Amino acid sequence: YVSSYDFAASASIIDVLVADAHGYFDDLCLDVEIRPSFAGDNYTLVAGNDAQIGSGGSFSELVDFAGDNSAGYVVLGVEGRTGIDALITRKGAINSLEDLRGSTIGVEGALTPSVRSMLFEAGLLEGDGYEVLELEGADPAAELAMPEILGFTGYKNDEVFGLDQAGAEYDVYDPANHGIPGSFGVLYTNATFLTEFPTAVQDFMRAT
């Protein structure tokens, strides 16, 4: 199993860690090795069967990666049925999403699907309406102050919390408020492993 955001207390991570701590995998005769990872890295690992169970950021994210390979991903569970990602901008920097035209948005790995859909609904396409810049740091307050970006994508339970702790002023554009559906906490495997070891996958999910 590879986690989607290190060992964060998040859906599709914490339940696996708790199951392991309580010995539920052992009770079902499963030998589960848990490795910290990140959602964007997991798709290649699961596709190559280097990891058998992966945690993903969202169902939309999984669909995006499924279009780039022939892994035959099989979703085992979608634990959250609303988006947790958002676009965070400097306070008062824009009055509407349309004001982002011609700007640069910071991303960690890639633009999150819900935010991308929200911007698309506003008539903005990556490479046309805006550009993206990959961020290397993990300090949302420092990222917010970067002059080369107008804002960045983040999670409402992480970056927004970090900005509040830092006393920073910011605006949040939540895809959920723009009619964009979302999800989080996805557990998935590949069709090869599921076909060869169906009861192992069933027991993993039962324990989790």
Side-chain angles (χ1 to χ4, degrees):
Y1 163 83
V2 282
S3 70
S4 56
Y5 199 71
D6 203 11
F7 284 144
S10 302
S12 77
I13 302 175
I14 193 169
D15 41 359
V16 176
L17 299 180
V18 170
D20 184 60
H22 282 278
Y24 296 159
F25 297 130
D26 292 336
D27 290 346
L28 293 171
C29 301
L30 295 178
D31 181 12
V32 179
E33 180 181 349
I34 296 175
R35 293 184 181 178
S37 186
F38 292 94
D41 298 329
N42 291 348
Y43 295 103
T44 300
L45 294 173
V46 175
N49 210 29
D50 295 314
Q52 288 68 51
I53 307 288
S55 172
S58 69
F59 183 77
S60 299
E61 178 185 83
L62 184 141
V63 170
D64 280 349
F65 279 91
D68 296 332
N69 59 63
S70 57
Y73 297 127
V74 179
V75 175
L76 304 173
V78 180
E79 300 186 0
R81 301 305 177 111
T82 185
I84 59 171
D85 53 329
L87 175 66
I88 303 164
T89 64
R90 287 190 290 276
K91 185 72 175 179
I94 60 174
N95 295 314
S96 67
L97 292 171
E98 289 78 5
D99 294 340
L100 286 166
R101 187 173 299 279
S103 68
T104 299
I105 299 171
V107 300
E108 291 185 5
L111 199 65
T112 57
S114 294
V115 170
R116 186 173 66 241
S117 296
M118 177 178 67
L119 295 176
F120 177 79
E121 290 295 322
L124 300 173
L125 291 171
E126 182 177 341
D128 181 14
Y130 59 91
E131 301 293 334
V132 298
L133 174 67
E134 186 162 357
L135 304 176
E136 297 181 357
D139 182 348
E143 292 171 348
L144 192 67
M146 292 175 61
E148 57 266 44
I149 62 173
L150 196 59
F152 61 93
T153 56
Y155 294 97
K156 290 177 276 186
N157 65 334
D158 189 2
E159 282 82 1
V160 169
F161 176 78
L163 290 171
D164 288 340
Q165 293 296 102
E169 293 189 339
Y170 60 92
D171 290 321
V172 173
Y173 291 85
D174 186 347
N177 294 334
H178 292 261
I180 305 298
S183 61
F184 63 91
V186 177
L187 286 164
Y188 65 99
T189 187
N190 61 70
T192 299
F193 184 71
L194 180 60
T195 299
E196 293 182 0
F197 303 100
T199 57
V201 174
Q202 292 165 8
D203 285 345
F204 179 91
M205 291 303 295
R206 185 176 294 114
T208 298

